[in-house]
Amino acid sequence: MDLATITDGADRFVAYIEELTSVIGHADRTGPLRDYCAGLLTAEGRKSVEPMAAVTAPADVSAQHQKLLHFVGEGKWSDERVLAKVRELVMPAIERHGPIEAWIIDDTSYPKQGTHSVGVHHQYCGQLGKQANCQAAVTLSIANHHASLPIAYRLYLPKDWADDAERRNKAHVPEAIGFKTKPQIALAQIRAALAAGIAPGVVLMDASYGTNSALRAGIAALALAYVAAILSTVKVRAVADPDARVSARELALGLPKHAWRTITWRDGSADSLCSRFARVRVRTAPIRGAAARPEETLLIEWPRGEAAPTKYWLSNVDRKISFRELVDIAKMRWRIERDYQDLKQEIGLGHYEGRGWRGFHHHATLCIAAYGFLISERETIPPSAPRLAGMLAKPAISGGYRPRGAAAPDAAPRPKLHRDAPLRNSGRHRPDAAALPMLRPQVSTKHATKFMTQ
């Protein structure tokens, strides 16, 4: 089905979901799939299961909560097949603005208070900028200058978890899942993308991946080009001076002034983005095996006003590429930061509250599906308008509804003058001994949108 030929946003959403249901399996999963994605797009605040149940079936929140919870936490449908279908549906919208130019490797993390959620470990958490208890997932995205889309998503399972049979059983980790480092997971995702026939792009990665020489070698062995950020401490030998083994930083500081050029790579929100760059042909120089290392381009950024260079990349792209094109492709990695920002803030990627392997991945897959729909709709939404304006109407929710865990209104010394009456029963969503016969009052659904079923 060609989504571009359908004029109404809500109708396009229905058509989009119908396409996804073709790979979801049983027909009884169609409703939960539609409602879960609709909840991700329309619920305000936290996108955990209960608030989404309230917005998609306000007249029967309890039953809807159980349906969505089972669908995402227990449903035996394939994440890989759904992500492949999302890619099939969304890529035409991306490629209308040009071919895929880059594949971007990265990971994203989710802080956790407890230790029982699958994969939780004390490790570096990018969201907090420090070591903390968190989950981390490795992703592969396809991108051009118009948009990007995650096409693979896999939880990093630390060795402590991979070797702990009891915790694995409780979290229902598949037997086939063993310990892999993040670079190993990323390389497996790249191989799977090639096997699926996805148009290749230059592989981009930050220094946590790019400094890994085995990952760079693995990508090169697949006949793919890469631009990999590295740490300034990586040892190299300039092709013009092979006897000097120095760090990337030392080499950069020793370059003459004429080696540096000011390059503009794209327009920013206010001004054009530009900085000073230099590039040098080098070979990496580990203690062992240096002679077998191929020639690469070392790209260095040294912004004006900085005391020393700030960023370094190693690249095996064609050495004839223009300086500006090399800088432009290296800087395309910013798109993944925008992906994660939108996926977390707009869609609720980090809001899943379950503890199991399947639910963690199912929630992420459905978030990517909802995000893919937004990408395909981007051109229909005015820049100044709310992201979902005019597309999906939200049904009425009871004015007294309050999700579990939400803060209770503060008590007032004069309750009659306070607009929020004190909550009964300590604010819990269950009746007093002789009070309400149900969790929440029934609400009319006459304003529910046409893709709601309850």
Side-chain angles (χ1 to χ4, degrees):
M1 180 179 296
D2 183 4
L3 299 180
T5 64
I6 303 173
T7 57
D8 181 73
D11 288 342
R12 286 194 298 272
F13 176 77
V14 172
Y16 180 80
I17 294 300
E18 286 178 352
E19 290 291 323
L20 296 184
T21 60
S22 67
V23 298
I24 206 71
H26 299 153
D28 58 1
R29 295 174 186 156
T30 301
L33 168 65
R34 177 193 59 229
D35 292 346
Y36 202 97
C37 289
L40 291 171
L41 291 170
T42 58
E44 296 180 357
R46 189 165 182 82
K47 310 293 182 77
S48 54
V49 175
E50 187 181 10
M52 291 195 296
V55 81
T56 56
D60 198 2
V61 176
S62 181
Q64 179 76 333
H65 179 269
Q66 291 303 314
K67 289 179 184 177
L68 297 184
L69 200 62
H70 177 79
F71 174 71
V72 74
E74 305 294 336
K76 294 181 180 179
W77 47 270
S78 169
D79 293 294
E80 290 75 16
R81 293 188 67 191
V82 173
L83 288 175
K85 178 57 73 170
V86 170
R87 184 181 74 239
E88 175 188 321
L89 295 172
V90 178
M91 274 187 68
I94 298 176
E95 291 183 319
R96 279 200 295 271
H97 300 266
I100 297 301
E101 298 174 74
W103 290 6
I104 308 175
I105 296 169
D106 210 341
D107 58 65
T108 188
S109 53
Y110 312 98
K112 291 288 182 179
Q113 296 297 324
T115 60
H116 299 291
S117 294
V118 62
V120 166
H121 189 67
H122 194 76
Q123 56 193 321
Y124 179 76
C125 179
Q127 185 171 325
L128 300 178
K130 63 180 181 179
Q131 296 283 326
N133 261 22
C134 66
Q135 295 168 302
V138 180
T139 65
L140 176 65
S141 296
I142 53 175
N144 61 16
H145 282 80
H146 172 70
S148 55
L149 175 74
I151 60 171
Y153 184 96
R154 158 71 194 277
L155 176 69
Y156 166 67
L157 197 67
K159 196 169 188 340
D160 288 351
W161 263 90
D163 295 341
D164 190 327
E166 183 179 353
R167 285 206 292 180
R168 288 177 63 104
N169 289 337
K170 286 182 178 179
H172 303 290
V173 178
E175 291 184 6
I177 301 297
F179 173 71
K180 282 186 177 181
T181 65
K182 292 177 183 177
Q184 288 172 337
I185 295 172
L187 189 57
Q189 291 175 335
I190 290 172
R191 289 188 177 121
L194 282 175
I198 300 172
V202 178
V203 181
L204 309 180
M205 61 200 100
D206 66 14
S208 64
Y209 292 90
T211 301
N212 188 295
S213 60
L215 177 58
R216 298 198 311 272
I219 293 170
L222 296 171
L224 293 173
Y226 60 77
V227 179
I230 61 170
L231 298 176
S232 63
T233 54
V234 171
K235 298 294 185 180
V236 297
R237 296 180 191 272
V239 171
D241 186 11
D243 295 329
R245 180 178 182 266
V246 295
S247 69
R249 175 187 167 88
E250 290 171 318
L251 187 152
L253 291 174
L255 291 175
K257 287 185 178 181
H258 64 77
W260 298 93
R261 286 180 52 187
T262 298
I263 292 180
T264 299
W265 63 90
R266 69 177 175 87
D267 293 332
S269 56
D271 300 311
S272 295
L273 301 178
C274 65
S275 187
R276 290 195 311 156
F277 297 88
R279 59 176 175 173
V280 187
R281 294 295 288 178
V282 301
R283 285 188 171 89
T284 54
I287 296 175
R288 295 183 180 84
R293 295 298 172 93
E295 280 190 24
E296 298 176 274
T297 297
L298 175 65
L299 176 66
I300 310 155
E301 180 180 2
W302 190 343
R304 293 189 184 279
E306 295 289 341
T310 56
K311 295 179 181 177
Y312 305 80
W313 296 265
L314 279 172
S315 175
N316 68 343
V317 298
D318 189 338
R319 63 184 301 174
K320 295 180 182 179
I321 189 173
S322 73
F323 206 159
R324 186 188 179 281
E325 287 176 315
L326 178 60
V327 170
D328 182 65
I329 194 69
K331 289 294 187 176
M332 271 190 69
R333 210 194 71 81
W334 75 272
R335 294 220 63 96
I336 197 67
E337 306 299 339
R338 177 63 181 271
D339 277 346
Y340 287 147
Q341 180 181 1
D342 286 349
L343 278 162
K344 289 183 176 182
Q345 295 181 5
E346 300 265 356
I347 309 295
L349 179 62
H351 294 175
Y352 183 63
E353 295 178 346
R355 294 178 174 179
W357 175 275
R358 181 176 292 161
F360 178 88
H361 289 90
H362 279 0
H363 175 76
T365 294
L366 297 172
C367 285
I368 292 169
Y371 183 57
F373 178 71
L374 287 186
I375 291 174
S376 66
E377 291 290 304
R378 183 171 292 167
E379 294 173 354
T380 69
I381 307 172
S384 60
R387 187 64 60 94
L388 301 172
M391 198 186 312
L392 301 178
K394 293 189 293 185
I397 301 177
S398 167
Y401 170 72
R402 186 174 62 91
R404 289 177 298 173
D410 294 333
R414 298 183 181 180
K416 291 183 179 180
L417 301 179
H418 194 227
R419 68 175 188 174
D420 292 317
L423 291 173
R424 302 171 61 211
N425 198 26
S426 301
R428 290 173 291 186
H429 283 302
R430 65 173 184 244
D432 289 321
L436 299 175
M438 58 186 71
L439 290 176
R440 299 176 186 83
Q442 296 292 319
V443 183
S444 171
T445 60
K446 64 180 180 180
H447 300 297
T449 60
K450 56 186 163 184
F451 55 86
M452 305 304 174
T453 59
Q454 299 298 325

